[in-house]
Amino acid sequence: MAVRTGVAWISIFVGGILGIIMVAVVLAGEAAVSTTEFCTSCHSMSYPVEELKKSSHYGALGANPGCKDCHIPQGLGNLHLALATHVYDGARELYLEFAEDYSTLEKFNERRLHMAHDARMNLKKWNSITCRECHKNPQPPGADAKAAHKKMETEGATCIDCHQNLVHKEVTETDLNASLVQGKMVLKAEKKKSDEEEEEDSEGN
């Protein structure tokens, strides 16, 4: 009986050590594949990282965000999201890196809208968790901005629903709620001109 107990404790101890090692490997691997250097090892990502460095998000308040700060949820509580993102998005982008021609910026731009939409949909599903890491308590100026922020409480909106095209080259905005419902990319309807704008246009002509 004592022998069996001893074997059981040894098994638990060895299992615990192996578990710790596995967790350490996963965390170290996750950190390694979340660096901007790793992301830009794919040629296609060299374009958006240069756009990041020229954006208002880079250098603001002394912060120089990398790819992971916007595109990979951080922290142990979000590890499942980070792993899922790397497995699903990483595998897809690796495949596209070989399947598509990204040799020039023009070629890259042919798929830019689809890539932007995929990134927006991730943020939508995460409730813009990476945005909130820095923008913890936004205080929108003006009545219109405050009303728009109210939509987060009343319409299930999140940061990315309104704040698109902030960092990378501008592409058509997408309707994320409609995209979720329809299971495909839906472009935002163009805003109708106000009566004043239409009047100014007619006077100009």
Side-chain angles (χ1 to χ4, degrees):
M1 186 71 175
V3 173
R4 290 183 179 178
T5 302
V7 170
W9 277 110
I10 290 172
S11 298
I12 292 171
F13 177 76
V14 171
I17 294 297
L18 290 175
I20 291 171
I21 291 172
M22 288 181 65
V23 169
V25 168
V26 169
L27 292 177
E30 172 59 29
V33 298
S34 292
T35 63
T36 297
E37 290 73 21
F38 179 85
C39 295
T40 53
S41 63
C42 282
H43 175 68
S44 61
M45 292 298 104
S46 62
Y47 305 124
V49 80
E50 287 306 313
E51 295 164 1
L52 164 64
K53 291 178 180 178
K54 295 175 184 176
S55 74
S56 59
H57 270 70
Y58 201 80
L61 301 177
N64 294 323
C67 305
K68 68 179 179 63
D69 295 302
C70 296
H71 296 288
I72 307 294
Q74 301 298 298
L76 285 176
N78 299 315
L79 183 60
H80 63 295
L81 294 177
L83 292 174
T85 301
H86 280 305
V87 171
Y88 178 74
D89 291 343
R92 179 189 61 202
E93 293 306 323
L94 183 61
Y95 165 76
L96 290 172
E97 190 71 24
F98 291 100
E100 300 287 339
D101 179 6
Y102 293 135
S103 59
T104 66
L105 181 57
E106 289 71 27
K107 292 288 187 182
F108 179 82
N109 285 338
E110 291 175 6
R111 288 207 70 253
R112 186 184 284 271
L113 174 58
H114 294 279
M115 288 187 281
H117 177 67
D118 289 340
R120 292 165 181 169
M121 289 302 290
N122 276 345
L123 285 164
K124 175 70 173 177
K125 292 170 186 174
W126 304 333
N127 191 24
S128 299
I129 193 169
T130 53
C131 303
R132 298 173 191 275
E133 282 296 311
C134 293
H135 304 281
K136 297 183 184 296
N137 185 30
Q139 299 294 325
D144 289 345
K146 288 177 180 176
H149 272 233
K150 277 291 183 184
K151 291 181 179 179
M152 289 193 286
E153 302 171 10
T154 58
E155 299 178 20
T158 186
C159 310
I160 194 61
D161 283 293
C162 298
H163 299 286
Q164 301 180 20
N165 293 320
L166 291 179
V167 174
H168 302 297
K169 182 177 177 181
E170 186 171 331
V171 293
T172 305
E173 294 192 2
T174 46
D175 186 325
L176 306 183
N177 282 328
S179 297
L180 278 175
V181 172
Q182 298 184 33
K184 63 180 182 180
M185 181 171 65
V186 178
L187 302 181
K188 277 189 178 181
E190 290 187 15
K191 294 179 181 178
K192 293 182 179 179
K193 288 185 177 181
S194 66
D195 293 339
E196 290 182 3
E197 289 175 324
E198 291 178 351
E199 187 176 327
E200 287 175 3
D201 286 347
S202 61
E203 288 176 357
N205 295 330

